[in-house]
Structures are given as structure tokens and as C-alpha cells.
Amino acid sequence: MNLRAAQVYIIMMFMTALASSTMFVTHGIYFVAELGLNPVQLVLMGTVLELTVLLFEGITGVVADTYSRRRSVIIGMFVIGAGFVLEGSVMWIGTMIPVLSLFAWVLVAELIWGIGHTFISGADSAWIVDEVGESNVGNLFLQTKRVSLWGNLLGIGLSVWMSTIAPNLPYVLGGLIYASVGVFLLFFMKETAFVGAVHKQQVSHWQHMKSTWLSGASTVRRNPILFMIVGVTLFSGAASEGYDRLWEMHLITEIGFPQNMALSMPMWFGLIAMVSTLISIAAVRITDSRLDMSNERVVFGAMFGLTAVRIAGIVMLAFSPNLIWALGSILIVGVVNTLSQPIYETWLNMNMESKSRATVLSMISQTDALGQTAGGPIVGWVGSRVSVRASLITAAVLLGPILTVFSRALRRR
């Protein structure tokens, strides 16, 4: 096991978790209370992001497998940083350059963020799996998630503090953190276990990229588990877009916060994120010690159980009669999402070849983007026409087919 690579990966994920938490803990306040976006606009942001991923993911994944996963990740860090700084600066830029509306500038930032994401998506996992080996990566993913949660905790404090000063500052700071990670990786990220296909034979770059993409597509088509993962990812993406974009609006507009407590809105969202993170740290630690991440059937069963709990949590939030009930539901969904990520990544990497790993991971990410692009506008439309509660119920319904797929597969296996 390459311990140096593992350390670099852990630091990278800690810093990106810090940046993401800094931005996203209070982003509902920025977009809903400050910029005044409605449910359709909130979902359209995600639609632009996911369409970008859908269009560019396959290209950048092939680039990572053809040239260098390291180079792809570093480029992505700088591009994402630029996108987030722009997103946090739309109020200033909209005043100085009024050729676009504030919402249009937000969409441009989402476009840049999406392009940067495609450079990293798949490439980071493919790099670390090759460096440490498939047999070690499951436990490393869980360990990384546990460390990342501490980054989340630090980011919560930064988010609340910066949002209290100005609602847009968390995005500016988050973008700068991403750029600093790019600088760090330039010096410390090494690629020792992978040689890009373009360096192996003397044929054209485009021929290598084409053959790599076809190899990845063939891998998905031949492997029933990977083909099933594509279906699961499609419906999961469709459901997650609605929930991720609208749960804050549900709290702000339909549940509300107590007026007789000396807590500002940023403090409420910070408190929610902090409690969720602390519970998640404990849950990941228990999972790491008790779940055999090298046993595919165990991993498979864990995904089934977590999906069922996720559906129940979203439905509970939709029918919440008060703030306490809503907060409990949000915590359940948050912990489930935290546990699902490393288990899902382990499940993915158990079923693919090294030479096309980044390409296949990018194809899976494209499937997620397709689901979010197709399902997000539907969920947003329901929220505008009926209510945000109805949107949440729609998101839960979209997760239903995943349980059917899991149950049938478990019976077969």
C-alpha cells in the first residue's frame, strides 16, 4: 500500500470537504434569502450543472485514462475554484458588468463548476485505487470519510461566521480553498502506478481516446453489476437533485424557525450541519469497525438498507408537522448520505478494470447527471405548482425503483 499517496488523498479530501462545508451549509440563505431565487430557479441551477457534467464527463474521463489522472485532478481543482469564486461574486460582478442578470451569472458559475467537476470525477478515485490497491481502498474510503467529516465541522464554523458578515463570502472562501488544493497537489501528488495509454504506443491521441472510451463502454455492458449500478445511479440522481436543492427552502418557507430564540438563520443551518456531522462521525466509525468492506454481498446489503432509510427520512421530512420532526428527518437523511458515499464507491471499484477505471467512473457520473437533469426539473416544477412538500414526496418516489433492483439482485445472489 502506497502510504504517501493515501496521505495525500486524505489531505485532499479533507480540504475539499472543508471548502464544500464552508459554502453549502449556508448556501440556502445566499440563494433564497439574499438572491431571492424561486424553486424553479434553484433546480435550474442544478440542471445547468448536471447538463455540463453530462456533456463533458465522458471526455474528461477518457483524458484521465489516456494522459494522466494527476493532471486531470489538478486542472479540476483550479477550474472549480474559479467557478465558486465567481458564484460568490455575482452581486459585485452583476453591478460592474450588467450585461447579464444575477441569475444568469449564477448559471455561468454553475457551468464552470461543472466543467471542473468532470476533470476530478472518476480521476481521483481511479488514481488512489491504483496507488493503494483494490483490497485496501474500501477501508481507506471509510477512513477518508471520517477525516473529511472533521473538515466539515471546521467548515460549518467558517460558513456561519462568513455568512453573518455577508451571505456570499462562504462561496468566495470555498473557491480559494479549492485553488489552494490545486497548488498543494502540484507539489505532492505523484502518479506511480498508472501510465497513460498515450505513452504506451505510438498511435494518435484521438485513437487512444476512442479506444479507451469503447473499452469503458464494453466493461459496463459486459458486467451485470455495473449495468445495474447505472440504473441505480440514474434514479438516485433524479431523486437527489430535488432533495438537495429544496430541503433548505422547505425549512425557510414552510416550516420556519422559532422567533423567540436568539439564533440567526445562519446559526440554525450551522447547528443542523454540526449535529449531522457529529452523528455521522460516530456512524462511520462504527461502520468501519463492523462492516467487511471487502465482501461484496455485505456492501450490497448495506446499500439496500441505507436506501430504504433514505426514502423513509425524505417522506418524514415532507410530512413534518413541526421543526423538531423536520430536523430529525434531515439528520437521518444526512447520516445516510454520508455512509452511502464510501460504500457506494467501494461497490463501484470492485467491478471495473484499472485501464478504463476513470472512464467507467465518468460514465457512472454521467448517468447521475442524466438522472438529475431529467428528474430535477420535474421535482422543481412540482414545487412551484403544488408545494415544496410535494416535491420532497416526488423525490422519495423516484428512489422506489432502486429498492426493487436491490431486492431482486440480493435474491439472485
Side-chain angles (χ1 to χ4, degrees):
M1 180 174 175
N2 188 335
L3 293 178
R4 180 183 175 86
Q7 291 170 349
V8 170
Y9 182 75
I10 290 172
I11 293 171
M12 176 176 69
M13 300 309 291
F14 172 85
M15 293 299 293
T16 54
L18 170 65
S20 297
S21 181
T22 299
M23 292 181 291
F24 299 144
V25 166
T26 56
H27 83 290
I29 299 171
Y30 178 42
F31 292 120
V32 177
E34 186 71 17
L35 297 182
L37 303 187
N38 59 44
V40 172
Q41 288 176 318
L42 290 172
V43 173
L44 278 176
M45 288 170 54
T47 302
V48 169
L49 173 66
E50 299 307 330
L51 275 174
T52 305
V53 172
L54 191 61
L55 293 173
F56 288 91
E57 185 78 70
I59 300 172
T60 53
V62 172
V63 168
D65 276 334
T66 305
Y67 297 96
S68 166
R69 281 91 181 260
R70 173 185 177 274
R71 190 182 307 170
S72 185
V73 171
I74 292 172
I75 292 172
M77 291 294 175
F78 285 115
V79 175
I80 287 180
F84 284 140
V85 170
L86 174 61
E87 195 150 9
S89 307
V90 294
M91 298 177 67
W92 305 328
I93 294 176
T95 303
M96 294 184 296
I97 312 175
V99 293
L100 296 175
S101 65
L102 292 182
F103 181 60
W105 280 114
V106 169
L107 295 184
V108 171
E110 293 285 319
L111 174 67
I112 297 172
W113 171 19
I115 293 173
H117 170 78
T118 62
F119 276 100
I120 297 174
S121 175
D124 56 350
S125 296
W127 168 74
I128 194 59
V129 171
D130 282 343
E131 294 294 327
V132 303
E134 292 182 13
S135 60
N136 298 313
V137 77
N139 289 331
L140 176 62
F141 280 155
L142 281 173
Q143 180 186 358
T144 302
K145 173 55 67 175
R146 190 165 65 245
V147 173
S148 297
L149 288 171
W150 290 107
N152 285 345
L153 275 179
L154 180 57
I156 291 167
L158 284 173
S159 184
V160 173
W161 176 47
M162 300 297 284
S163 181
T164 303
I165 299 172
N168 64 312
L169 288 183
Y171 266 84
V172 176
L173 179 59
L176 294 176
I177 293 174
Y178 264 98
S180 69
V181 175
V183 174
F184 166 77
L185 295 179
L186 275 172
F187 291 98
F188 296 101
M189 186 180 188
K190 306 299 180 183
E191 195 167 38
T192 62
F194 171 78
V195 178
V198 75
H199 300 297
K200 294 178 181 177
Q201 304 175 38
Q202 295 300 315
V203 297
S204 74
H205 298 307
W206 290 109
Q207 284 179 313
H208 274 302
M209 292 178 67
K210 178 182 176 181
S211 64
T212 301
W213 191 91
L214 290 174
S215 174
S218 177
T219 300
V220 173
R221 188 172 61 252
R222 293 195 315 266
N223 191 324
I225 297 296
L226 277 179
F227 197 75
M228 180 180 64
I229 290 173
V230 168
V232 168
T233 304
L234 182 69
F235 284 99
S236 179
S240 66
E241 178 66 7
Y243 177 82
D244 293 343
R245 296 286 176 177
L246 297 177
W247 73 265
E248 295 104 328
M249 174 169 274
H250 182 57
L251 282 185
I252 294 171
T253 62
E254 299 197 12
I255 300 294
F257 296 104
Q259 300 298 316
N260 57 349
M261 295 183 66
L263 288 176
S264 64
M265 198 179 296
M267 291 179 180
W268 271 108
F269 282 108
L271 181 63
I272 293 169
M274 183 180 68
V275 174
S276 177
T277 302
L278 289 172
I279 297 174
S280 296
I281 289 172
V284 170
R285 182 177 293 276
I286 293 171
T287 303
D288 191 14
S289 62
R290 298 189 179 182
L291 192 68
D292 183 4
M293 293 290 283
S294 62
N295 187 322
E296 187 174 5
R297 183 172 179 82
V298 172
V299 172
F300 205 75
M303 289 299 300
F304 174 83
L306 289 171
T307 302
V309 176
R310 184 183 175 193
I311 293 173
I314 295 174
V315 171
M316 287 171 57
L317 176 61
F319 289 102
S320 297
N322 52 52
L323 180 62
I324 300 299
W325 189 283
L327 293 180
S329 305
I330 291 168
L331 292 176
I332 289 172
V333 177
V335 172
V336 166
N337 289 341
T338 299
L339 287 175
S340 296
Q341 182 184 348
I343 296 174
Y344 176 73
E345 289 180 358
T346 302
W347 183 34
L348 279 178
N349 284 283
M350 282 178 171
N351 293 280
M352 59 186 70
E353 301 169 351
S354 173
K355 65 179 181 179
S356 59
R357 192 183 304 277
T359 302
V360 174
L361 288 172
S362 290
M363 289 178 175
I364 299 297
S365 184
Q366 278 183 300
T367 304
D368 178 69
L370 178 61
Q372 295 197 42
T373 302
I378 295 173
V379 176
W381 180 84
V382 170
S384 294
R385 288 287 183 173
V386 185
S387 67
V388 179
R389 292 180 188 271
S391 291
L392 294 172
I393 295 171
T394 304
V397 170
L398 289 171
L399 287 171
I402 298 178
L403 282 182
T404 304
V405 171
F406 277 145
S407 62
R408 289 179 179 177
L410 280 171
R411 283 199 298 271
R412 285 199 211 102
R413 292 169 69 82

